[in-house]
Amino acid sequence: LTPTENLIAEHLMSTFPNCMLKTSYELAGEIGVNTSTVTRFFQKIGYKSIKTAQNEFKKGIDFQARTVQNRFEEEYKDDAQKSMMGAYIISEATNIEQTLNNVPAASLDILTGILSDRKNTVTLFSNDNNTYPLVEFFHSRLKQVRPQVGILQPNEVAIAQTIATTRNNDALIILDYKSNSRLNSKIAAAFKKQGGRVILFTDSPICPTAKSSDLTFETKTRSQSNLPSHVATMALINLMIDLLAKNWEDFILEQTQAIDKISQEISLTS
């Protein structure tokens, strides 16, 4: 995004959801840009017009306002698989399909290269309690295929120490899902200033942290419940781990052999 487009994105994120009820003329006046600039911004992030974005927003509000059972009955009333299980299967499968189909192969190649660096460290971060279990999942999968992987705790001391010791090409993976946290943006900018690489996972095309990231992966989180689903994000993580494992076969073998050896030594059945 250009500096002007970043300005628009930051305004939308800071005034959401009220901003989605205004015209492009009103938004342009608040931000201090031309109306045509606002119109082009929405087109750039994937909408035909601001009206299209507003319609999608209203559908999302209607979707959340209805109960799970009501949504299920409306969407699957003519479906032969009319069951709550069937509804969830279809919803999650759609999230996974849309997420993986929209990931550029080039981005996966770049990410694999960053995570295959034998000299760097990889740190995962989220400033959102609801997303933290996803960070732990990512961490558990990643540390199985490469060393020097950690989780950054959201406190000032840990953040300052991590940024101060960042080296060129160290990687910071931020999971930013509707938290709209300025802290994420500040950490990303500071980490990148130290020479690190920032990888962002988000569900928003206008996430402010994206302006400081080297790579951004947008995942679909629509759910049958009122809570976002991270199944598609987990599927993308699993895909990345499978691609990465090919470059760390020696580490994986060494780790497996060490675990087997210790397991044999402490086995209670032998």
Side-chain angles (χ1 to χ4, degrees):
L1 297 178
T2 66
T4 301
E5 290 167 343
N6 277 321
L7 189 65
I8 297 173
E10 289 175 356
H11 179 79
L12 293 177
M13 296 297 285
S14 64
T15 61
F16 185 87
N18 293 339
C19 61
M20 298 308 296
L21 302 176
K22 299 181 179 181
T23 65
S24 56
Y25 176 79
E26 291 172 327
L27 288 174
E30 292 178 356
I31 302 169
V33 298
N34 294 326
T35 303
S36 59
T37 304
V38 174
T39 301
R40 287 194 299 271
F41 171 81
F42 279 94
Q43 292 172 341
K44 186 170 183 177
I45 63 173
Y47 298 102
K48 291 183 178 179
S49 65
I50 186 175
K51 192 69 175 179
T52 304
Q54 290 172 332
N55 288 338
E56 185 169 315
F57 166 72
K58 290 175 182 177
K59 287 180 181 179
I61 293 297
D62 292 340
F63 181 83
Q64 295 294 336
R66 291 173 291 166
T67 65
V68 173
Q69 187 62 34
N70 286 340
R71 293 201 297 266
F72 166 74
E73 291 176 353
E74 292 176 14
E75 296 183 28
Y76 301 98
K77 60 183 179 182
D78 298 323
D79 196 325
Q81 297 181 346
K82 187 175 181 181
S83 67
M84 187 64 75
M85 185 70 74
Y88 272 86
I89 290 172
I90 293 172
S91 176
E92 299 297 5
T94 300
N95 282 343
I96 293 172
E97 181 180 24
Q98 292 179 351
T99 295
L100 297 186
N101 283 343
N102 289 330
V103 174
S107 295
L108 285 175
D109 289 341
I110 295 172
L111 178 62
T112 301
I114 293 173
L115 299 183
S116 296
D117 190 327
R118 299 272 168 156
K119 298 180 180 179
N120 72 356
T121 62
V122 178
T123 305
L124 296 108
F125 177 76
S126 173
N127 190 36
D128 178 12
N129 290 334
N130 293 324
T131 312
Y132 194 79
L134 192 60
V135 170
E136 292 182 317
F137 171 78
F138 205 157
H139 177 255
S140 67
R141 298 287 284 122
L142 194 54
K143 72 179 183 179
Q144 292 177 25
V145 297
R146 64 152 291 159
Q148 301 184 102
V149 180
I151 297 177
L152 175 58
Q153 300 300 323
N155 64 71
E156 290 186 6
V157 174
I159 292 171
Q161 289 178 340
T162 297
I163 294 175
T165 56
T166 296
R167 300 169 300 176
N168 284 338
N169 294 324
D170 280 351
L172 174 66
I173 300 175
I174 297 179
L175 287 84
D176 192 340
Y177 286 87
K178 290 188 172 67
S179 60
N180 302 340
S181 171
R182 291 185 178 180
L183 179 60
N184 289 336
S185 298
K186 290 181 178 179
I187 292 175
F191 192 88
K192 193 169 183 178
K193 187 177 180 179
Q194 291 289 97
R197 308 291 293 276
V198 178
I199 299 100
L200 172 67
F201 285 73
T202 182
D203 57 354
S204 171
I206 57 172
C207 177
T209 310
K211 68 180 181 180
S212 297
S213 68
D214 296 280
L215 289 172
T216 298
F217 295 93
E218 184 181 343
T219 62
K220 301 300 180 181
T221 57
R222 184 179 180 185
S223 171
Q224 291 297 310
S225 71
N226 292 323
L227 297 175
S229 167
H230 293 297
V231 171
T233 308
M234 295 171 72
L236 179 56
I237 291 171
N238 285 334
L239 171 61
M240 293 174 173
I241 296 299
D242 288 342
L243 294 172
L244 183 62
K246 298 176 182 179
N247 296 333
W248 288 94
E249 290 181 347
D250 56 335
F251 170 79
I252 297 171
L253 177 60
E254 181 181 345
Q255 189 177 48
T256 301
Q257 291 174 339
I259 292 173
D260 288 343
K261 181 180 179 181
I262 294 176
S263 296
Q264 291 174 6
E265 291 176 353
I266 66 174
S267 176
L268 300 178
T269 59
S270 59

